[in-house]
Amino acid sequence: MPNAEEALECYLSIAQAIAGKTDYELVLEVFASRLRALIAHDHLDIVLLHPSGTQICYEARMHTSWSHTQNPAKPTAESPIRDVLLGHTPYILTGDAWTDDRLHFEGSDSKPLFDANLHSRIVVPLRVQGALIGSLAISSHRIDFYNAELVGLAQGAADLVAAYLFALERGKEAKEAAMAELEANGREAALRLGALRLTEGMERERQRLGMDLHDQTLADLARIRRRLSRIDGGSAAAQKEIDLLQEELDHCLDEVRGIVENMKPGVLQMFGFAEAVEAHLLRCQKHMRRSIEMTVQDASDGQMDVLQDTVRTAMYRIVQEAVNNALKHADCDCIDVLIAQHGDRMVVQIDDSGTGIAEADLLSNRGISNIKTRADLISATVRFERLPAPKGTRVEISVPMSAGDGLPV
């Protein structure tokens, strides 16, 4: 039995040996090696508790299934030393773990005691600032090898190493959490980039269809209109019918031109974002049966056109959707669009004088859902706000200037 001076020298040796080391296996091997000068043993294990009701075991000198499994986290209730881990007893001292009923109960994970030939055992708690965080177990192949005096020395070693192991565990958890966050962010960025590329491809297909409509369908309708205008109806009734057909064709031509412009917004490509929004508002005014006042203000000095083209087009589609929603559902007579730059973000506000948005509208599957989906694809945020009279609703879309990085220009 070592005296107090020898015990203190051993504790100092342990502290010096593990200081600065961050690898669990190395810390435990060094700790076990230095502790042998104080308490002879053939096996040493450290158990650390987790709030989930599970534990993780780390072993030195020899390894068993307590630590060598695909799923190292095990239920504390199945541990043969659960009385210590649950705080039911201050320690366990046994002369023969094979025959000690405290270690063997229904569901007990005690098989490694036999596999590793562990008989005499000392199990003491690990505490940090009074909180139970795990246990230290020291075992020997021999029967009745330990006594109560050695329990005190084991507890001293446990108190010495507990805070260090606790810090290592928290550092490990923080590192794993950081890695998981980085991995999740990487997956999210990859998914977002893939979605942006898909959006870009869909936009190109829309433009191709728009060009087909312009070059073929619109041209065919215009040719029919010209031929119809050259037909002499003969009778007044026939001429009236021809005039009605011409009016219908003119209406069809306007509709197709609107569809073409919507599918391939030429104003956006040639003149920029603000002009494209204004052109869309003018088209809406033309087709509305009631008088609507519409304004567009660009306070950003054209900075929206600095955005990556796919992002800029997506923002234009969102504004289209917001304006169309206001005209269709809000019963408004005024729409104001403000384009501004706030730091490293571009912001578009669409204010209407309608009935105001309700909570149920935000949960609907109408245009609001489309707005949110388009915004997510370009890392934009959308805010819906009910405004005081005479205004009704504000839709605010904010997108980072860096959105779309990684896409080909």
Side-chain angles (χ1 to χ4, degrees):
M1 175 73 187
N3 57 37
E5 185 177 341
E6 290 171 334
L8 179 59
E9 184 177 340
C10 181
Y11 290 154
L12 288 174
S13 173
I14 290 172
Q16 292 171 352
I18 65 175
K21 293 179 173 59
T22 58
D23 180 79
Y24 263 111
E25 296 291 337
L26 181 58
V27 169
L28 255 66
E29 289 297 336
V30 170
F31 174 68
S33 177
R34 297 300 173 96
L35 187 61
R36 289 193 78 189
L38 196 63
I39 305 174
H41 60 273
D42 298 302
H43 177 269
L44 181 147
D45 68 76
I46 294 284
V47 170
L48 295 177
L49 296 172
H50 284 250
S52 62
T54 61
Q55 62 180 48
I56 294 182
C57 180
Y58 300 92
E59 297 177 286
R61 311 210 66 76
M62 68 174 64
H63 293 84
T64 72
S65 61
W66 282 333
S67 62
H68 276 198
T69 60
Q70 290 183 339
N71 182 19
K74 296 184 177 182
T76 302
E78 296 178 3
S79 173
I81 58 171
R82 65 182 183 182
D83 285 348
V84 170
L85 294 173
L86 297 175
H88 296 162
T89 184
Y91 64 89
I92 292 176
L93 171 64
T94 180
D96 190 357
W98 285 23
T99 59
D100 194 324
D101 291 339
R102 294 174 297 174
L103 310 180
H104 306 283
F105 47 85
E106 186 176 354
S108 171
D109 185 18
S110 59
K111 185 173 180 293
L113 293 172
F114 302 97
D115 294 341
N117 192 31
L118 306 180
H119 288 281
S120 292
R121 297 200 88 202
I122 297 174
V123 184
V124 293
L126 295 171
R127 294 184 183 276
V128 174
Q129 296 181 343
L132 184 62
I133 68 161
S135 66
L136 164 66
I138 303 167
S139 304
S140 170
H141 295 323
R142 287 180 276 184
I143 297 175
D144 295 326
F145 188 61
Y146 300 131
N147 56 39
E149 292 180 346
L150 290 177
V151 173
L153 294 177
Q155 187 63 68
D159 293 341
L160 173 69
V161 78
Y164 196 83
L165 292 174
F166 181 76
L168 280 182
E169 185 68 10
R170 296 292 83 79
K172 175 188 171 186
E173 290 175 358
K175 181 179 178 181
E176 289 175 350
M179 293 296 293
E181 183 177 358
L182 283 173
E183 185 178 346
N185 288 341
R187 286 197 300 269
E188 182 180 351
L191 288 171
R192 195 181 298 279
L193 186 59
L196 271 174
R197 285 177 172 152
L198 176 61
T199 302
E200 185 181 40
M202 291 171 63
E203 194 62 41
R204 282 199 301 265
E205 186 63 16
R206 286 174 66 135
Q207 292 184 18
R208 185 190 68 77
L209 289 171
M211 291 178 67
D212 288 346
L213 280 172
H214 178 274
D215 295 343
Q216 188 64 46
T217 307
L218 196 59
D220 288 344
L221 287 172
R223 185 168 60 254
I224 293 170
R225 173 67 176 79
R226 288 194 298 272
R227 290 180 63 183
L228 193 60
S229 67
R230 293 195 292 266
I231 296 175
D232 184 359
S235 67
Q239 188 60 49
K240 183 178 180 180
E241 187 65 26
I242 290 173
D243 291 341
L244 288 173
L245 286 173
Q246 288 178 329
E247 288 180 12
E248 288 186 19
L249 268 176
D250 288 338
H251 179 72
C252 287
L253 284 166
D254 286 343
E255 288 291 324
V256 174
R257 288 191 186 99
I259 293 171
V260 169
E261 178 56 33
N262 186 48
M263 297 187 77
K264 62 172 203 65
V267 178
L268 176 66
Q269 295 169 352
M270 292 188 290
F271 300 104
F273 185 86
E275 288 78 3
V277 172
E278 188 170 2
H280 179 68
L281 292 179
L282 289 173
R283 284 196 303 275
C284 291
Q285 274 183 323
K286 183 177 179 181
H287 291 89
M288 293 302 295
R289 295 181 179 179
R290 65 181 187 274
S291 176
I292 297 184
E293 181 182 344
M294 299 183 180
T295 64
V296 178
Q297 180 185 357
D298 185 2
S300 73
D301 195 24
Q303 285 301 298
M304 188 66 79
D305 296 313
V306 176
L307 293 178
Q308 206 273 351
D309 190 58
T310 300
V311 176
R312 183 183 67 156
T313 303
M315 287 290 285
Y316 173 70
R317 298 297 186 195
I318 293 172
V319 173
Q320 278 186 311
E321 192 76 54
V323 169
N324 293 342
N325 277 353
L327 294 174
K328 185 176 181 181
H329 303 293
D331 193 27
C332 61
D333 56 17
C334 178
I335 293 180
D336 298 317
V337 180
L338 173 64
I339 305 163
Q341 182 178 6
H342 295 166
D344 61 352
R345 301 183 74 87
M346 292 302 302
V347 178
V348 180
Q349 285 182 358
I350 302 103
D351 292 354
D352 69 63
S353 60
T355 54
I357 196 164
E359 193 68 29
D361 296 326
L362 296 176
L363 303 175
S364 72
N365 292 321
R366 297 186 298 186
I368 287 178
S369 177
N370 294 336
I371 289 174
K372 291 178 179 178
T373 300
R374 287 186 184 276
D376 286 341
L377 291 177
I378 58 172
S379 302
T381 58
V382 183
R383 184 170 64 89
F384 299 89
E385 179 184 356
R386 188 183 181 94
L387 300 176
K391 295 291 185 182
T393 301
R394 170 173 293 170
V395 181
E396 182 180 277
I397 312 106
S398 173
V399 64
M401 298 287 289
S402 60
D405 286 355
L407 283 176
V409 179

